[in-house]
Amino acid sequence: MACPWKICCGRRKQKYAKETEKEQEQVQVQVQQCAVPAGSLGVQPFRKMGLTDDKDIKAMLKGSKLWKIKSHSWRKQRLYRLEKDGMTIWYESPSKGARSKQIFSVMHIEGVREGHQSEGLQKYGHTFPEKQCLTISFKGKRRNLDLAAPTEMEAQLWVRGLNKLIKRVEAMSQREKLDHWIRDYLHQADENKDNKMSFKEIKNMLKMINIDMDDDYAFRLFKTCDRSSNDRLEEHEIEEFCTLLMKRPELEEIFKRYSGEDRVLSVEELLEFLRDQGESATLENARRIIRTYELNEKAKQHDLMMQDGFMMYLLSPESDIFNQAHASIYQDMNQPLSHYFISSSHNTYLTDNQLGGASSTEAYIRALMNGCRCVELDCWEGPNGEPIIYHGHTLTSKILFKDVIRTIRDYAFKHSPYPVILSLENHCGLEQQTTLARHLKTILGDMLVTQTIDGKEPQELPAPEQLKGKILVKGKKLRSWLGDDENFNLCLEEEDESQAESRRSSQQDLERLQAKDYSEISQALSDLVVYLKTTSFHGFQNPVKSLPAYEMSSFSESKVRKLAKESANAFIRHNSCHISRTYPSGFRTDSSNYNPQEMWNVGCQLVALNFQTPGYEMDLNDGRFRENGMCGYVLKPNFMQDPDTSFDPEYPGCGLKQDVKTLTVKVITAQQLPKINKEKNNSIVDPLVRVEVYGVPLDNSKKETEYILNNGFNPTWDETLSLQVRIPELALVRFLVEDYDTTSSNDFIGQFTLPFTSLRQGYRHIHLLSKDGASLSPATLFVHITIEGW
């Protein structure tokens, strides 16, 4: 006997089809055309954005003459104007041959600051009233744009207008981002700006969007859409061409599998899909999804979903590969600090390499806004009694300590409410050390932790929740908590192993050095070190709690590897109660990074990396801290919190009884991959996909697909890759797309990294990121994920 539920479902779908057959056909056409909204090249998106009558937006469309400020001597007036697409800022320049360099997208703006709030305007903007100044900061490594308007009113309208556009971008769906993306290329390809597309212009556009389409096929597609038979595509003809171009056969197949031949998805059929996806399979949730993503109002009323609504759902964050429940703070934040991995930066002040790169307060802003919770300050004697920060004995530029502290005060808690750690590397004499302490106290005020929570010597470290909105100083401390002069516990400067060897000549020399250190430590600065007192490492103590909880040590990367190889379990036990900081070798003069996973495997909390240097190491760091609301604190696995743990990353089977998990990734397609060589129009990528697992040594593995020749627009693989994971709590998964090259190493196209425990099974889109972590929207990978043994 047939299921009554399915019979009811079928009748409802038939009734809907009969009632609205004509209307449904009209809606289908409208929905299909949404790839390029009506108006095509001359599109006016502000009605859709809700900004049709906005005065600020209207003024931005007319444009303003703003001063661009780069130095004391370089300041030029330029006409800045919002383009009609509502997403692009154009500015005029005397150089006509560089127009492409004079356009930037609102999608790439990180934020807008009013007044003299950037390092550039603080240095060079004082000839303009503060209320006439603004700074546009960008995602990734692009430099700030410092501007001054002729009037305060004009500056304000640009600040307000840009903020409205930024909010609109944040609320855009993936489909809307795709609309903007294709519209932008249509504008570029329309050489004579007549809002029509010849076949030559269409071919140029295809190369721009990274597809080398066969001429015969492209021409047939062109002629199919050229309904006016004038060898030009106009408005709806362009829309039809783009609709055909952007068809997703793989999504159509999935939709048909669940909806049946009528191509309309009922609540019950959507429920079946959700169940297979591992989602919340309730009628209430299925109805909510239809109401949220379905484009046809009539279909919504009947609790039905059409193919375009289904695609909107699959492209939404709700259907992302990253578990959105982990996008907010969901972990217990009441554990001791030693129980967390903490996002940490090395040489935070640098924007480039550590030999001659620039030091900048902007580097602190970028790190803090990226979720970093431990920043480094290399403090040196400066002129006029003011300490400076730079990389000592190098050609890096210098910045004032007090300017850095003001910047930290202003940005410490804009991204995350949890405590910020100042890792002080002190090279100052007593007088300027006292100045350091004065600036910390006067500038930071109540933010600065100057005593323990209960006023007593801590038996264990406080929790992040207890230190919300607080700033901790990590450094040397003169006396023990009881003030016993015989119990001085002094530490040596953090140093590389090679430097350490040169000073370990004799015990007598060591004692003299310790005495010298003591005489050069300011009491005022020492008093500000409360929970994070740096000490020399003298081996692992048993029991680990015999050391005071507030004592911590720093290790070079080579030292960590040595200890991990010889005493991994002892290291993990030590780190269950005490903080460890790791830092790159001094020989990394190019400010490159080490693999942070090796340090996390033994429980080190402060794994400091050069945030200014992109690479897989920073991808792993971003992936590690992507969860828990990107707040910069991630709770370590339970087996790393126990001081009696038997876990050893080299032999994970001995310490934990866990079944091996098999991660199976079916790499299906990619969409709108960026061009690598934008200067050469004929250069098309040959993409391949690699899936990488980083974790304990036995879990480290990589598998890759074949490459697809000359197609970065919509390549199809349909290849299955399988990888095994033994300790999922420590593992990270990195999805990497590269441009295959037969004669040299492959070029990076995009990547996305996330914790294994944040992976979601089923059909998922992966939204790719650039080398410096910025969005490559609308570039995506489409995959199917299964995890056996989970």
Side-chain angles (χ1 to χ4, degrees):
M1 181 177 176
C3 174
W5 196 10
K6 288 189 176 181
I7 292 174
C8 178
C9 160
R11 286 173 179 168
R12 189 168 70 254
K13 290 166 71 174
Q14 289 173 10
K15 181 182 178 183
Y16 167 71
K18 289 177 181 178
E19 286 179 351
T20 62
E21 185 173 351
K22 187 174 181 181
E23 179 185 352
Q24 190 176 354
E25 289 176 0
Q26 294 172 345
V27 173
Q28 283 280 25
V29 170
Q30 293 171 4
V31 172
Q32 287 172 356
Q33 290 176 350
C34 77
V36 183
S40 191
L41 306 186
V43 69
Q44 292 279 358
F46 301 105
R47 178 177 57 80
K48 194 173 182 181
M49 299 169 78
L51 299 172
T52 310
D53 299 319
D54 189 276
K55 293 180 181 179
D56 296 326
I57 300 301
K58 285 183 175 180
M60 292 172 69
L61 284 166
K62 291 179 180 178
S64 300
K65 285 194 173 181
L66 307 176
W67 289 92
K68 181 179 179 181
I69 304 165
K70 293 177 70 175
S71 68
H72 286 299
S73 58
W74 200 106
R75 52 194 69 192
K76 309 269 185 184
Q77 199 170 35
R78 299 278 187 262
L79 174 63
Y80 286 81
R81 186 177 69 228
L82 176 64
E83 295 279 71
K84 290 181 180 180
D85 65 358
M87 295 288 291
T88 309
I89 308 295
W90 172 88
Y91 61 95
E92 182 184 63
S93 171
S95 174
K96 294 182 180 179
R99 189 177 184 276
S100 63
K101 296 181 181 178
Q102 299 151 13
I103 293 176
F104 60 86
S105 172
V106 176
M107 294 176 70
H108 297 153
I109 298 176
E110 181 77 46
V112 184
R113 307 181 210 162
E114 300 180 56
H116 297 158
Q117 289 195 55
S118 71
E119 186 176 56
L121 287 176
Q122 287 169 3
K123 286 182 178 180
Y124 314 123
H126 291 288
T127 54
F128 296 93
E130 184 169 3
K131 292 185 177 180
Q132 291 175 214
C133 295
L134 65 140
T135 297
I136 300 175
S137 58
F138 296 93
K139 298 172 182 176
K141 295 188 71 176
R142 180 168 177 169
R143 291 179 61 182
N144 292 343
L145 180 58
D146 292 321
L147 302 169
T151 66
E152 178 184 340
M153 183 180 298
E154 204 153 5
Q156 281 298 308
L157 77 83
W158 274 87
V159 170
R160 290 193 303 267
L162 285 170
N163 280 324
K164 290 170 191 173
L165 293 173
I166 291 168
K167 286 182 180 178
R168 170 62 188 132
V169 166
E170 291 173 349
M172 281 174 68
S173 69
Q174 183 72 6
R175 187 62 173 268
E176 290 172 307
K177 291 176 183 177
L178 181 58
D179 293 346
H180 168 66
W181 178 84
I182 191 65
R183 191 185 303 122
D184 182 50
Y185 281 109
L186 284 167
H187 274 285
Q188 292 180 48
D190 183 21
E191 294 177 357
N192 58 3
K193 307 304 175 190
D194 63 351
N195 285 346
K196 300 176 184 178
M197 301 293 287
S198 67
F199 180 66
K200 179 185 174 184
E201 289 172 331
I202 285 289
K203 279 292 291 180
N204 285 337
M205 185 195 76
L206 291 173
K207 290 177 180 177
M208 287 178 184
I209 63 177
N210 224 348
I211 181 171
D212 186 15
M213 187 180 288
D214 176 76
D215 281 355
D216 290 339
Y217 177 74
F219 187 71
R220 287 198 304 272
L221 204 61
F222 178 86
K223 295 304 288 184
T224 299
C225 300
D226 182 19
R227 303 192 183 281
S228 56
S229 300
N230 63 355
D231 293 327
R232 294 285 189 278
L233 299 186
E234 306 176 24
E235 295 195 352
H236 294 299
E237 294 172 341
I238 296 173
E239 295 168 9
E240 184 180 358
F241 181 87
C242 290
T243 298
L244 292 173
L245 190 66
M246 294 186 180
K247 283 174 71 77
R248 297 279 304 272
E250 74 280 21
L251 294 188
E252 293 177 13
E253 181 184 337
I254 296 167
F255 185 76
K256 182 180 177 181
R257 190 187 313 158
Y258 286 92
S259 68
E261 292 297 329
D262 57 17
R263 303 295 181 92
V264 178
L265 200 66
S266 69
V267 170
E268 293 80 8
E269 289 165 339
L270 178 58
L271 201 64
E272 183 181 356
F273 174 77
L274 294 175
R275 191 177 294 112
D276 291 346
Q277 289 277 96
E279 302 286 0
S280 172
T282 64
L283 287 172
E284 182 182 357
N285 190 42
R287 290 191 180 101
R288 180 193 61 79
I289 289 171
I290 290 174
R291 295 189 196 107
T292 303
Y293 299 103
E294 178 51 46
L295 303 173
N296 183 343
E297 289 299 325
K298 194 75 173 179
K300 281 186 187 180
Q301 294 172 16
H302 288 77
D303 283 339
L304 298 172
M305 178 175 265
M306 298 166 71
Q307 184 172 303
D308 289 275
F310 183 68
M311 186 170 77
M312 291 283 284
Y313 168 61
L314 286 180
L315 283 167
S316 72
E318 191 170 348
S319 198
D320 193 83
I321 193 168
F322 177 71
N323 188 344
Q324 293 301 296
H326 294 181
S328 57
I329 297 168
Y330 73 99
Q331 295 179 340
D332 180 6
M333 302 305 289
N334 290 292
Q335 300 290 325
L337 288 176
S338 58
H339 287 185
Y340 298 84
F341 296 126
I342 305 170
S343 181
S344 306
S345 170
H346 177 64
N347 290 344
T348 314
Y349 47 88
L350 289 178
T351 59
D352 206 334
N353 69 74
Q354 63 187 45
L355 290 183
S359 302
S360 171
T361 56
E362 292 293 331
Y364 285 91
I365 295 174
R366 288 183 182 271
L368 291 167
M369 295 302 287
N370 197 34
C372 181
R373 297 288 86 190
C374 178
V375 296
E376 185 176 27
L377 300 88
D378 287 2
C379 308
W380 296 81
E381 293 269 320
N384 305 316
E386 285 294 342
I388 56 175
I389 289 178
Y390 81 113
H391 201 252
H393 310 300
T394 68
L395 298 177
T396 59
S397 60
K398 303 171 177 64
I399 50 179
L400 289 174
F401 175 83
K402 61 182 179 182
D403 288 345
V404 171
I405 299 304
R406 289 193 189 103
T407 299
I408 292 171
R409 174 198 63 194
D410 295 341
Y411 289 89
F413 305 108
K414 284 195 173 183
H415 179 85
S416 168
Y418 292 105
V420 169
I421 298 168
L422 307 185
S423 180
L424 292 186
E425 187 173 314
N426 174 26
H427 303 278
C428 297
L430 283 174
E431 185 175 345
Q432 291 204 14
Q433 284 184 46
T434 302
T435 303
L436 294 176
R438 185 177 74 250
H439 286 325
L440 286 167
K441 294 178 73 173
T442 57
I443 295 172
L444 298 178
D446 292 340
M447 290 182 179
L448 186 65
V449 173
T450 57
Q451 59 181 7
T452 58
I453 294 171
D454 59 4
K456 300 177 182 178
E457 180 177 0
Q459 299 305 307
E460 71 172 12
L461 292 169
E465 193 69 28
Q466 294 175 290
L467 296 171
K468 269 187 171 180
K470 294 295 184 181
I471 296 175
L472 305 169
V473 174
K474 164 193 162 296
K476 296 179 182 181
K477 191 170 183 65
L478 278 176
R479 304 177 183 276
S480 71
W481 288 97
L482 300 178
D484 183 357
D485 288 350
E486 295 180 1
N487 274 334
F488 296 151
N489 193 350
L490 304 171
C491 72
L492 305 176
E493 294 290 341
E494 295 179 8
E495 57 195 352
D496 295 327
E497 291 303 299
S498 59
Q499 295 172 315
E501 289 300 325
S502 66
R503 63 160 177 78
R504 291 173 183 155
S505 55
S506 68
Q507 183 64 31
Q508 187 176 11
D509 290 339
L510 182 60
E511 290 172 359
R512 281 201 301 269
L513 183 56
Q514 286 179 322
K516 181 181 178 182
D517 279 348
Y518 169 68
S519 66
E520 293 180 350
I521 300 172
S522 160
Q523 184 68 55
L525 191 58
S526 169
D527 289 344
L528 300 184
V529 177
V530 179
Y531 288 114
L532 299 170
K533 174 184 176 182
T534 55
T535 64
S536 296
F537 177 71
H538 296 297
F540 299 117
Q541 304 296 314
N542 192 13
V544 294
K545 291 187 177 181
S546 61
L547 287 174
Y550 50 83
E551 289 191 359
M552 63 164 292
S553 299
S554 293
F555 305 88
S556 70
E557 59 176 287
S558 57
K559 182 67 173 179
V560 175
R561 291 193 186 100
K562 184 173 184 293
L563 290 171
K565 187 175 182 180
E566 296 174 352
S567 313
N569 177 253
F571 208 166
I572 293 169
R573 292 185 178 201
H574 172 86
N575 287 329
S576 68
C577 302
H578 302 90
I579 300 285
S580 290
R581 178 178 182 269
T582 69
Y583 57 95
S585 164
F587 295 109
R588 293 183 180 271
T589 55
D590 58 350
S591 291
S592 59
N593 283 309
Y594 52 78
N595 180 350
Q597 186 66 46
E598 299 176 69
M599 288 62 185
W600 293 323
N601 283 344
V602 288
C604 295
Q605 298 87 352
L606 303 175
V607 179
L609 297 177
N610 290 296
F611 271 45
Q612 76 276 20
T613 308
Y616 86 92
E617 301 91 349
M618 274 305 299
D619 293 344
L620 296 183
N621 194 76
D622 292 343
R624 171 66 64 204
F625 294 101
R626 191 174 305 284
E627 66 172 326
N628 207 29
M630 297 179 69
C631 73
Y633 284 81
V634 169
L635 195 61
K636 295 196 290 188
N638 289 336
F639 53 79
M640 286 188 150
Q641 301 173 25
D642 181 5
D644 297 319
T645 183
S646 57
F647 176 69
D648 187 323
E650 292 288 340
Y651 309 98
C654 298
L656 295 174
K657 292 182 179 179
Q658 291 194 337
D659 296 328
V660 175
K661 312 293 184 291
T662 300
L663 169 64
T664 301
V665 181
K666 183 178 182 182
V667 181
I668 304 172
T669 57
Q671 296 75 40
Q672 293 82 52
L673 299 177
K675 287 176 74 76
I676 299 301
N677 191 345
K678 293 184 179 180
E679 303 302 319
K680 292 185 178 180
N681 199 36
N682 291 326
S683 174
I684 310 293
V685 300
D686 305 325
L688 63 83
V689 178
R690 183 179 302 119
V691 180
E692 304 173 342
V693 173
Y694 295 84
V696 298
L698 283 175
D699 284 345
N700 294 332
S701 60
K702 301 177 182 181
K703 296 283 182 69
E704 66 182 40
T705 66
E706 297 293 331
Y707 67 90
I708 303 296
L709 188 65
N710 286 336
N711 189 350
F713 180 72
N714 56 0
T716 298
W717 288 276
D718 275 332
E719 290 189 47
T720 300
L721 310 175
S722 291
L723 306 95
Q724 291 193 326
V725 177
R726 293 157 185 80
I727 309 296
E729 296 89 342
L730 281 174
L732 296 169
V733 183
R734 182 173 184 244
F735 296 89
L736 175 66
V737 185
E738 290 185 332
D739 180 17
Y740 176 77
D741 198 311
T742 55
T743 58
S744 62
S745 59
N746 296 341
D747 290 320
F748 175 95
I749 295 178
Q751 68 84 32
F752 187 78
T753 307
L754 73 166
F756 184 93
T757 52
S758 296
L759 275 172
R760 299 170 78 197
Q761 300 190 62
Y763 290 103
R764 303 294 173 186
H765 280 93
I766 300 170
H767 298 267
L768 297 173
L769 304 175
S770 67
K771 273 187 178 179
D772 54 15
S775 171
L776 287 176
S777 182
T780 53
L781 276 178
F782 185 54
V783 300
H784 185 270
I785 303 289
T786 55
I787 304 174
E788 296 178 20
W790 191 245

